Amino acid sequence: MDELKNKKILLHACCGPCSLGAIEPLLNDGGDITLFYYNPCIIDGEFDLRLAALQTVADYYKLPLVVPPHDYSFFSSYAKAHADAPEGGARCSLCMDDRLRASAIYAGEHGFDYYTTTLTVSPHKNSKLIFSLADGIKEGAPFLSRDFKKKDGFLLSTRRAKELGIYRQKFCGCEYSYQNAIQRDGGGE
């Protein structure tokens, strides 16, 4: 896409593996990418494992990586009221909205042309919901609407993660998704 040639793009990254499904398509379109690891929803310990994997990806592609302070209590402040919501429900919508909003604001304050997210790489995330949430955010930089799971983006992400030998998680990141993973397959890690 010519629209991205030499454009500064803030790529919200939830983890190393998902970032691998978004980086190459954006680079192929000429984008100048900075990774943004804003994920207050990820439990302590897990946050560090994912950050280490993302740092490996950033080093591999020689991309800058911005890591705001991690504050899980912020996520808990709004998620607790939706503790019983199903995976993908109200709690997840609030979480995605928070991450998109923080990305939009950061991108706007730091001169980025666009922001986007790796959340659309996962087949477990509803891209239409993500796009709808982003459309509702009026502050900051404009959202670059890309469904990175298309054109084998998820397959690319899993293949590249294996090639780089980086950590690949089995749950979304919060305490609720961790409990779901334990119930689903006897362990979240």
Side-chain angles (χ1 to χ4, degrees):
M1 284 183 142
D2 288 339
E3 72 175 294
L4 298 186
K5 189 144 180 77
N6 300 318
K7 298 291 185 181
K8 287 179 60 177
I9 301 166
L10 185 72
L11 177 59
H12 166 262
C14 58
C15 64
C18 286
S19 69
L20 291 165
I23 291 171
E24 287 186 24
L26 292 171
L27 288 175
N28 290 340
D29 287 341
D32 176 11
I33 303 167
T34 295
L35 299 171
F36 186 61
Y37 187 64
Y38 173 76
N39 297 292
C41 57
I42 300 175
I43 57 177
D44 293 336
E46 182 69 22
F47 181 88
D48 296 328
L49 290 171
R50 294 183 192 198
L51 177 55
L54 187 59
Q55 185 65 61
T56 298
V57 171
D59 292 346
Y60 180 80
Y61 287 99
K62 297 177 177 44
L63 298 174
L65 172 59
V66 175
V67 184
H70 180 240
D71 182 8
Y72 189 79
S73 67
F74 177 69
F75 166 76
S76 293
S77 71
Y78 63 79
K80 194 177 294 182
H82 303 280
D84 295 330
E87 199 72 18
R91 179 184 65 247
C92 297
S93 293
L94 290 169
C95 178
M96 288 187 287
D97 184 73
D98 171 45
R99 294 188 279 170
L100 292 169
R101 190 170 304 280
S103 300
I105 292 168
Y106 184 92
E109 290 175 349
H110 292 86
F112 286 86
D113 297 296
Y114 300 101
Y115 80 99
T116 192
T117 182
T118 64
L119 291 170
T120 65
V121 170
S122 172
H124 304 291
K125 298 286 186 275
N126 181 336
S127 295
K128 287 181 183 177
L129 172 62
I130 293 166
F131 299 154
S132 174
L133 292 169
D135 285 345
I137 299 169
K138 301 306 178 201
E139 64 265 63
F143 183 69
L144 178 63
S145 182
R146 289 280 181 94
D147 190 344
F148 291 112
K149 74 176 75 47
K150 304 283 185 177
K151 299 181 183 175
D152 292 327
F154 181 69
L155 179 63
L156 171 67
S157 74
T158 57
R159 188 179 305 137
R160 288 280 192 268
K162 192 172 189 175
E163 289 170 5
L164 292 175
I166 63 171
Y167 171 71
R168 184 170 170 74
Q169 66 278 357
K170 296 183 180 180
F171 68 105
C172 189
C174 71
E175 62 191 284
Y176 309 104
S177 64
Y178 180 71
Q179 290 304 317
N180 287 340
I182 288 173
Q183 292 169 359
R184 181 185 67 237
D185 55 28
E189 300 183 274

